[in-house]
Amino acid sequence: MSSDSAPASIEQLQQAIDQQQTLFNELRKDTNTSPQALDEAKKKLSELKAAFGKLKGKASGSADAAGGKKKERLLLKTAKGTRDYGPGEMFCREHIEKIVKDCFTSYGGSCLDTPVFERKDVLTDKYGEDSKLIFDLMDQGGEQLALRYDHTVPLARYLAMTGGTNTQSKLWQVGKVYRRDNPVMSKGRMREFMQADFDISGAWDPMIPDAEILSLLCTILTRLEVGEFTIKVNHRKILDGIFEICGVPNDKIRTISSAVDKLDKSLWADVKKEMTVEKGLDPAVADKIGVYVQLKGGAELIERLAADEAIVANPSAKKGLDEMKILVSLLQAYKVIDKISFDMSLARGLDYYTGIIYEATVEASAPPWLKAAQAAAAAEEGNPPPNTLTSTEPSPPAPLPTKKDKKPKKKADADEEDDVDDSQVGVGSIAAGGRYDGLVGSFSSAAAGDKDKNKGQLPCVGVSIGMDRIFALLWPKWEEKGMRSKETMVYVMSAGDGLLVERVSLVNELREAGIKTDFLAKNKPKLPAQFAAGEKDEVPFAVILGGDELKAGLVTVKEQKWEFVDGKKDKVKSADQGTQVKREELVQWIKSTKTFQEWGTGKLI
């Protein structure tokens, strides 16, 4: 925006920004909007924001010069890509974490913890094109640092540091990791997020640890009740062999692999364009790749590939196929083969994978528009959509905000970032991983100054579970089922006199017996106020003390329940005045109830 067309005041400029933002949002939602019109609207919005920043800076500078600097009001918000979790949400998240950790220990894992930041040279050259997403730090001592991008590289660094003392191990870690990506908060895609990793290191017989990891993942997702899920499996040796067969130059294999990895959220035409236009691959080679990466299926696909003479003749692909045959037999023994889909489009763009790779997906993983767009593309060609990735035309620009021109564009504001329309984005994979046999060795050799990266090699295979993406799937179901936000089982009350000492004594006794208990911290609270406090937390047992009952060695227990009425959760009204229970039998009485025994589910409706 030129200076002569800029509004004269900050207020006018802000109004112009609001109007342009509204226009941009409308254009983005309109499927008939051309890419050029969308780009022009976005460019104008960027220019307005830049002009606003300059004008505001000048106004602030003038005020400072006049000695009238005004302290700006504090903006109370979390940083972009981060969020707070309230008590109810945390109760759900802790439920998820408890199940995951229980499965980790059931499979023989030991817990590990590593720092949330690492030396930057530890993290560089490990993530391919995603390296740009690393958060850089610089501590006051001048040491170049970065926030960890995942748990895998820190684990490999730890194993390299411990040398030969961890030749065979099962290690798990749950903690936050950081990526400077464009967040989609409603889908659990954030800049700060929780991952749970389980890794098996050491030299074992072929594919046994790999199958163990896949069995673990199936167990976790089944226990979490995420709904129908599929674990897509591929092998980097097979994929690399296919690239060689198709004629991909060695120096382009990793970048082409990164493009192919986007087929779960893009049409083939978009991926082919990236490979040819942006990455310089011969279109004929891209077409050959397209034939293979459309293949997906069950165990029969492995047999089909094994019958392909070109694949079998390639040493890398042949070795990968042999390993996959072993994997199939093990997955059948684990009884999880029905959850597996061998998918040749799965590539996993990270540089450190060397063998089997996998991703767990649900129906919400793919962008909402993708299935219809694939079907329409296949219908235009008159072909049935076996995996519907065969469109020869690029996908329409307006519904596909995630399909952006990868070439850098000049921005009016250096800090400006592209907005993401969350209605057009899927959750993505909820877990992923693979085999990385060379990562530990690369650290060991680098530390020794040895150019041989195979020196000190320690084979590893693992999985990373996206806890925030799983939470994004489960939290709506959690609310629909009326789950609680606290584990408090008993609320101790008094009728008439405050009976503070007696209440505290009983609360202490119940807590020592392992029953989560609370009370109102007042000397002489009124009974309605005590019931209101207990009902706020949906406490299922109200234990009421009375002077006469205590003398007789009795307490009154009233069990409470809640229900949904017109979409609102309300307490079930009951004429029951409660049950009198002997004071010394109260602990056993509560523990024998069905409500107490099922409290772990969190459901009290």
Side-chain angles (χ1 to χ4, degrees):
M1 182 174 183
S2 61
S3 58
D4 58 349
S5 63
S9 69
I10 290 179
E11 291 76 13
Q12 290 174 315
L13 194 51
Q14 182 62 63
Q15 184 178 6
I17 290 173
D18 293 340
Q19 292 173 349
Q20 187 64 24
Q21 183 70 61
T22 300
L23 174 63
F24 176 70
N25 291 339
E26 290 175 352
L27 290 174
R28 188 168 58 178
K29 293 177 182 177
D30 187 352
T31 57
N32 295 319
T33 301
S34 68
Q36 293 78 11
L38 197 64
D39 286 343
E40 288 176 6
K42 183 177 179 182
K43 181 180 179 182
K44 186 174 181 181
L45 179 61
S46 299
E47 290 173 345
L48 285 169
K49 288 180 178 180
F52 180 82
K54 291 178 181 178
L55 189 59
K56 193 172 181 182
K58 288 180 181 179
S60 176
S62 299
D64 291 348
K69 183 175 181 180
K70 183 180 179 182
K71 184 177 180 180
E72 293 194 17
R73 295 195 306 184
L74 176 66
L75 181 61
L76 289 175
K77 65 184 292 290
T78 60
K80 182 175 182 179
T82 67
R83 57 158 298 185
D84 299 317
Y85 294 96
E89 293 169 314
M90 281 307 302
F91 192 49
C92 176
R93 289 172 67 85
E94 287 171 352
H95 170 75
I96 294 170
E97 192 171 323
K98 180 181 177 182
I99 289 176
V100 171
K101 288 181 177 179
D102 183 61
C103 292
F104 283 173
T105 55
S106 296
Y107 274 69
S110 300
C111 185
L112 174 71
D113 186 39
T114 61
V116 297
F117 54 85
E118 296 274 351
R119 289 175 53 90
K120 188 179 179 182
D121 53 3
V122 168
L123 302 182
T124 52
D125 302 325
K126 307 298 188 304
Y127 302 111
E129 295 183 356
D130 285 345
S131 292
K132 62 182 180 292
L133 303 181
I134 295 174
F135 270 107
D136 290 340
L137 300 174
M138 177 78 77
D139 82 354
Q140 294 183 359
E143 189 177 23
Q144 189 73 32
L145 305 173
L147 293 175
R148 65 186 178 196
Y149 179 95
D150 60 12
H151 292 310
T152 306
V153 171
L155 169 65
R157 187 263 308 150
Y158 166 81
L159 292 173
M161 286 176 62
T162 55
T165 60
N166 272 292
T167 53
Q168 288 186 336
S169 63
K170 291 182 176 181
L171 295 172
W172 61 266
Q173 182 172 190
V174 178
K176 291 186 175 181
V177 298
Y178 302 85
R179 298 180 188 177
R180 197 182 184 281
D181 203 354
N182 274 339
V184 186
M185 306 297 286
S186 64
K187 305 298 173 68
R189 297 173 61 177
M190 297 181 286
R191 290 183 165 184
E192 178 192 62
F193 54 97
M194 185 81 73
Q195 278 193 341
D197 280 35
F198 189 99
D199 296 81
I200 302 176
S201 65
W204 307 81
D205 287 340
M207 305 312 290
I208 298 176
D210 311 67
E212 177 87 338
I213 292 286
L214 290 173
S215 171
L216 167 66
L217 182 54
C218 288
T219 300
I220 290 173
L221 297 182
T222 300
R223 285 191 55 186
L224 285 174
E225 298 181 330
V226 299
E228 288 297 318
F229 65 88
T230 299
I231 300 179
K232 299 190 294 184
V233 178
N234 200 358
H235 201 298
R236 284 297 280 264
K237 287 185 172 65
I238 296 176
L239 194 61
D240 289 352
I242 288 174
F243 288 157
E244 291 174 7
I245 294 167
C246 294
V248 178
N250 287 334
D251 62 343
K252 291 185 180 293
I253 284 181
R254 284 294 167 259
T255 60
I256 298 305
S257 178
S258 178
V260 170
D261 197 44
K262 298 170 184 173
L263 279 170
D264 61 341
K265 50 186 176 289
S266 307
L267 296 180
W268 168 247
D270 297 303
V271 173
K272 180 181 177 181
K273 179 182 176 183
E274 178 178 337
M275 289 193 294
T276 55
V277 176
E278 298 174 19
K279 297 182 176 177
L281 188 67
D282 185 330
V285 174
D287 289 335
K288 293 179 182 178
I289 293 173
V291 174
Y292 283 106
V293 297
Q294 293 180 68
L295 300 176
K296 63 173 64 174
E300 71 282 353
L301 178 59
I302 305 302
E303 297 301 325
R304 179 179 172 184
L305 292 173
D308 188 315
E309 294 182 1
I311 290 180
V312 175
N314 182 276
S316 175
K318 175 66 165 58
K319 185 174 182 180
L321 279 174
D322 290 342
E323 291 183 349
M324 291 288 254
K325 290 177 182 178
I326 298 172
L327 180 67
V328 168
S329 64
L330 291 170
L331 294 177
Q332 290 170 338
Y334 276 114
K335 299 180 179 179
V336 296
I337 192 69
D338 61 312
K339 297 293 185 183
I340 306 299
S341 171
F342 296 101
D343 190 330
M344 294 299 104
S345 70
L346 179 63
R348 302 290 296 147
L350 303 182
D351 283 355
Y352 50 67
Y353 287 120
T354 59
I356 183 178
I357 47 178
Y358 33 82
E359 286 185 353
T361 62
V362 292
E363 185 178 356
S365 293
W369 54 266
L370 183 61
K371 189 173 182 179
Q374 290 173 336
E380 285 180 9
E381 295 182 356
N383 297 326
N387 95 349
T388 58
L389 293 169
T390 56
S391 171
T392 58
E393 296 296 327
S395 45
L400 306 179
T402 55
K403 303 293 165 297
K404 299 184 183 296
D405 189 350
K406 298 299 188 297
K407 294 181 179 178
K409 295 181 180 179
K410 185 177 181 181
K411 296 183 178 180
D413 185 350
D415 294 328
E416 177 196 347
E417 292 178 334
D418 294 330
D419 293 326
V420 179
D421 185 353
D422 63 355
S423 68
Q424 300 298 325
V425 180
V427 172
S429 62
I430 57 176
R435 175 162 287 281
Y436 52 102
D437 287 346
L439 189 55
V440 177
S442 70
F443 282 128
S444 300
S445 59
D450 198 321
K451 293 183 179 181
D452 183 7
K453 292 186 177 182
N454 292 322
K455 209 164 189 178
Q457 191 179 74
L458 184 66
C460 297
V461 63
V463 64
S464 296
I465 300 169
M467 305 291 270
D468 292 276
R469 295 187 180 186
I470 289 177
F471 171 77
L473 294 173
L474 294 188
W475 175 242
K477 300 177 183 178
W478 188 275
E479 288 187 300
E480 289 174 6
K481 292 179 180 178
M483 301 302 218
R484 297 180 61 201
S485 61
K486 272 191 178 181
E487 297 184 38
T488 309
M489 294 302 296
V490 175
Y491 208 91
V492 176
M493 310 178 187
S494 63
D497 191 7
L499 299 173
L500 177 60
V501 172
E502 290 81 356
R503 281 187 289 141
V504 170
S505 176
L506 180 55
V507 166
N508 189 59
E509 180 182 328
L510 293 173
R511 288 171 177 170
E512 288 181 345
I515 299 174
K516 296 175 175 62
T517 309
D518 205 354
F519 71 107
L520 194 59
K522 290 192 174 184
N523 280 313
K524 294 184 177 182
K526 294 182 179 180
L527 191 58
Q530 295 175 87
F531 266 106
E535 290 170 8
K536 179 182 177 182
D537 294 332
E538 300 174 19
V539 180
F541 296 104
V543 176
I544 307 166
L545 307 183
D548 294 338
E549 287 84 354
L550 286 175
K551 291 177 182 178
L554 300 171
V555 296
T556 300
V557 183
K558 186 173 182 181
E559 190 167 356
Q560 307 175 109
K561 294 183 181 294
W562 281 258
E563 65 181 350
F564 279 112
V565 178
D566 297 328
K568 184 179 179 182
K569 195 176 183 182
D570 290 319
K571 182 183 174 183
V572 177
K573 295 181 179 180
S574 172
D576 179 24
Q577 297 300 310
T579 303
Q580 287 197 327
V581 180
K582 290 182 179 180
R583 174 77 164 68
E584 66 270 16
E585 297 176 359
L586 179 60
V587 170
Q588 187 56 42
W589 188 92
I590 292 173
K591 288 187 175 182
S592 66
T593 62
K594 182 179 179 181
T595 298
F596 182 86
Q597 292 171 0
E598 295 181 352
W599 74 266
T601 65
K603 185 175 181 181
L604 290 175
I605 295 184

